Every structure is written in structure tokens, then in C-alpha cells.
Amino acid sequence: MPKPFVLRWGIISTGWIANCFVTDLLVDPETRNVTDVAHKVTAVGSRSIQSAENFIAENAKGDESIKAYGSYAGVFADPNVDAVYIGTPHTLHYENALDAINAKKHVLCEKPVTANAAELRSLLAAAKEHGVFFMEGLWTRFQPLALEVKKISESGVLGAPLALQADLSLDRRLHRLPKTHRLLDPAFGGGALLALGPYPLSWAILALYEHPANQGAVPSNVSATMLKTSLTGVDRNTSFMVTFAERELAAQAILSCNINVTFCQPGVIIRYEQGTITIAAPIYCPKSFTVQYLEGDKVTKEETRRFEYVGNGWHFEADEVARCVRDGKGESSLWGHDKSLVEMDIFDEVRRQGNYKLPPGAEKVV
Ligand SMILES: NC(=O)c1ccc[n+]([C@@H]2O[C@H](COP(=O)([O-])OP(=O)(O)OC[C@H]3O[C@@H](n4cnc5c(N)ncnc54)[C@H](OP(=O)(O)O)[C@@H]3O)[C@@H](O)[C@H]2O)c1
């Protein structure tokens, strides 16, 4: 068997999600039947060298081949790093990603990829100029369940999609968080939309935007409303409707995200002319979905699919990055630049309608 292509990762930041991502990077790819690519963490950068060293000790069993840096710049300059993973708060993604791109590193940047669409457009131009791969870490989109839902959705067995509902809610006990927490602080782009909104929207993008009948058209309408928390003024409850009706598709998505109530079941319902797909919460990493085939309002067949694997689901996006870098691609065909742009354009519009302005300086490009 040919040897796998090994992608050498540099990790920026040592917070919660960076821990999750690296834990999954270190899962043996063969446990998920992946033999063509593999991963090696070669550097970890933090604002504190102690934190970088602790991160390596805790997540990589103190692997001495991994270099710890007390800055992000050290990782960008490291010749043993091919790709940089960015796990900093939303409003820092732009400058961190730009520094990585300028150092000619490939980039996987956490969701939401930037604070607004203008920042994303600027990063995409820089990535093109430097000839590097760039992708938002919309991890759900690479999980086997999402690939299967897409296959069924586009096979035509259920007819055309007509309506979709998706919600992601987490009860974050806001009163117990410091107002400087990234979820509450407007300077970090706090609130429900930017933190949780990518997930319900990603299902609408998969089922509606990507559907062949939509022919790549951007939404014809976005309507939104936001309820803010009196703690810091960030959005606590956000609901938005996205309509796709520019080409042969005519369908609507009703999407919501909340940071003060827990998630509901099912997390996603996609309704087609002749059936329904329901996806179990949590919708960022669902483990099962059910397809109902309908004749009128009569259910003629029902099938449930369950998914299990070693690890927590972040490794699938890492495999995609490795394959794209190996193949010299600038973007993924699963979650390409156009999809992140649709997402950020919608979020800009939702914030405009919800009158949620980030404080001056939080958005680096406007
Ligand atoms: N894909 C997913 O499932 C998922 C889940 C949760 C979060 N996320 C995304 O990941 C990002 C980070 O979320 P998180 O929950 O991991 O946050 P977190 O635990 O607060 O970690 C953020 C890290 O960013 C670094 N950082 C740099 N400048 C900072 C500053 N001024 N203030 C605070 N931290 C700073 C810190 O690392 P150092 O001290 O080491 O520099 C910190 O540990 C967010 O954009 C979020 O949307 C994604």
C-alpha cells in the first residue's frame, strides 16, 4: 500500500476548540478507513509559552518533536509547518489568517471564518495571491452523515426540497459568564449568530444552496430578527429566514440560534416534494438521521441511519485539508470559498436587520 500523504500542522491558540481539534488529529486515520492521508502536529503557538507547553503535554503526551512557541509568529515562520489551524476568537481570525497566508502557509480557520464578508473577501484575495489553500472549519460538512444526506437530497428520490427548519441552541448560563467571555463580548463578535448560526445555515447551504436546481444562486431574500441580552448587548436569540428562488429551486429555510435555551429535537427537518429528512441534534455533529418517504401525507417507508467512529468528528475536515493540499487545490469542493461567502453575506445582512454593530476596530475590513 502506498504511504499516506502526511500534512504537518501548526496550531494557533490553546483554547477549548484547539484541544478538541488536536485530540482528533491524533486519532489513527485507519480507524475511519482513511489510508491516503495522515496528520502530524509539528508546532503549537500560544500567547504564553507555558500554555503551549502544557497543551503539548496534555494533548500530545509531551511529544518532544512538537515545537512550542510563546507567539503565533513562531508557528508562521516554522519551516516544518505546512498548514496552520486557527482557533482564536472570531474577531481575531482575520489578522491571524492573514499572517499565516503571508507566511505562505495553508490555512484551516475556525467558524465563523471572519467577522464579516469584507474580511473574508480580503483573505481570499491574499490566499490566491500567495497560492495557498484556505478553508473555514465548518467541520459538520465533512462528516460522513452530511455526505450521505447530501447524496440522498440530490439523488431525486424525495423530489425537490421545499422547506427546511434548523436550530442550534445551547444554554450557556449567560449570567455566570464574565462579560469579557468571547460569547458575551461584542469586541469578540459575541452572541448567538456568529457562534452558533453557522450550523443551521450550513444545513440550508447543503440542502438548498448546493442543490443542483439552485444552480449556485445566492439567496433571493434574507429576513431576520435579533433579541439582545441586557448584559452586553450581543444577540441572545436570533432567527433568520433564507429564501432561494432565483433559478429552478423555490425553497425557504427557517433558521434559529439561541444561547440561553438548550437544543431541541430534531435539530434539522428538510421537507421535499415526496418525503422528509430529519436530523438528530446536536446539529454540529449529528449521529443519526431518518428519511420518510411520503405519498400525500401517508408515510410509505421510513429508514434511520446511524453513524459511529473513533474520535469526535473534527478529523474529517482535517482529512479534507490534507487531500486538498496534497492535490495542490486552493479550496475544497465540499466547503468552498463560495459557501463561506454566502454565509458571511447572510450574517452581515442578519446583523444589519438586527441592528447589531460590532464596536469600532472589531472588524478589520469593512
Ligand atoms: N468547530 C467547533 O466545533 C467550534 C466549537 C467551539 C468554538 N469554535 C470556534 O473557535 C473559536 C474559539 O473558540 P473557543 O471556544 O476555543 O475559545 P477559547 O476557549 O476562549 O479559546 C480561544 C483561544 O484564543 C487565544 N486568544 C488569542 N487572543 C485572545 C484574546 N484576546 N482573548 C482570548 N483568547 C485569545 C487563546 O489562546 P492562547 O492563550 O493560547 O493564545 C485562547 O485560549 C471561535 O471562533 C469559535 O467560534 C468552533
Side-chain angles (χ1 to χ4, degrees):
M1 196 164 40
K3 281 195 172 165
F5 171 82
V6 180
L7 188 64
R8 299 173 305 170
W9 289 91
I11 308 298
I12 291 305
S13 81
T14 55
W16 187 82
I17 189 62
N19 276 273
C20 300
F21 181 72
V22 166
T23 303
D24 268 7
L25 266 192
L26 299 177
V27 171
D28 180 354
E30 289 198 24
T31 62
R32 54 185 182 275
N33 297 321
V34 169
T35 54
D36 60 329
V37 292
H39 309 280
K40 171 85 185 87
V41 178
T42 49
V44 173
S46 168
R47 293 169 299 169
S48 127
I49 182 80
Q50 189 61 53
S51 185
E53 285 170 357
N54 290 348
F55 184 94
I56 294 166
E58 284 161 21
N59 293 294
K61 298 181 185 138
D63 182 344
E64 289 184 358
S65 71
I66 306 177
K67 185 107 174 67
Y69 291 98
S71 72
Y72 301 160
V75 174
F76 301 144
D78 189 327
N80 292 317
V81 169
D82 304 314
V84 170
Y85 167 81
I86 296 169
T88 52
H90 321 328
T91 49
L92 303 181
H93 291 175
Y94 176 76
E95 58 198 74
N96 296 153
L98 189 61
D99 287 347
I101 290 168
N102 284 336
K104 299 207 182 304
K105 302 298 185 191
H106 306 291
V107 172
L108 173 64
C109 183
E110 265 308 332
K111 42 57 59 180
V113 63
T114 47
N116 65 25
E119 287 187 353
L120 176 57
R121 289 192 165 86
S122 166
L123 285 184
L124 295 180
K128 195 170 176 193
E129 184 191 333
H130 289 281
V132 296
F133 174 83
F134 180 85
M135 190 175 91
E136 177 180 23
L138 215 307
W139 61 308
T140 313
R141 190 58 189 77
F142 307 92
Q143 294 163 10
L145 181 145
L147 302 183
E148 194 57 30
V149 168
K150 180 174 163 71
K151 203 189 295 174
I152 295 169
S153 178
E154 295 181 6
S155 70
V157 289
L158 299 173
L162 301 174
L164 179 149
Q165 286 164 270
D167 172 81
L168 179 59
S169 299
L170 297 175
D171 186 359
R172 292 303 309 267
R173 316 265 170 110
L174 299 180
H175 284 89
R176 294 191 192 169
L177 293 179
K179 289 181 182 166
T180 51
H181 189 280
R182 70 165 184 86
L183 210 53
L184 277 180
D185 189 344
F188 285 143
L193 179 71
L194 292 181
L196 306 184
Y199 295 107
L201 181 57
S202 75
W203 286 106
I205 289 177
L206 180 148
L208 306 185
Y209 172 75
E210 292 180 30
H211 194 277
N214 186 49
Q215 298 167 29
V218 298
S220 49
N221 185 269
V222 175
S223 301
T225 178
M226 283 180 151
L227 194 58
K228 318 261 179 53
T229 165
S230 57
L231 292 170
T232 57
V234 304
D235 64 308
R236 193 186 71 179
N237 309 89
T238 290
S239 300
F240 51 118
M241 284 194 292
V242 183
T243 301
F244 292 88
E246 288 292 332
R247 305 275 159 76
E248 287 166 23
L249 185 77
Q252 264 188 343
I254 302 177
L255 310 171
S256 55
C257 45
N258 306 286
I259 49 176
N260 63 339
V261 291
T262 195
F263 62 75
C264 55
Q265 293 285 12
V268 183
I269 308 175
I270 316 170
R271 301 167 77 182
Y272 296 81
E273 289 167 321
Q274 288 118 35
T276 303
I277 299 179
T278 54
I279 300 170
I283 68 168
Y284 46 77
C285 190
K287 290 293 168 52
S288 69
F289 71 88
T290 299
V291 186
Q292 282 188 336
Y293 296 82
L294 297 173
E295 271 176 30
D297 53 8
K298 187 164 165 265
V299 178
T300 55
K301 191 166 83 164
E302 182 172 300
E303 291 169 344
T304 295
R305 290 278 320 269
R306 293 178 209 288
F307 292 76
E308 281 178 25
Y309 39 80
V310 179
N312 291 306
W314 282 280
H315 32 35
F316 299 111
E317 65 178 359
D319 293 342
E320 174 70 1
V321 177
R323 289 187 180 115
C324 289
V325 169
R326 176 196 64 192
D327 298 344
K329 294 181 179 169
E331 65 182 301
S332 161
S333 59
L334 293 178
W335 190 260
H337 297 165
D338 63 319
K339 292 168 200 169
S340 291
L341 277 168
V342 166
E343 174 193 355
M344 295 318 302
D345 279 332
I346 290 174
F347 287 175
D348 283 359
E349 179 59 18
V350 171
R351 283 201 298 116
R352 191 189 67 76
Q353 292 184 26
N355 193 27
Y356 177 18
K357 294 187 178 75
L358 302 187
E363 294 161 283
K364 308 299 180 298
V365 187
V366 286

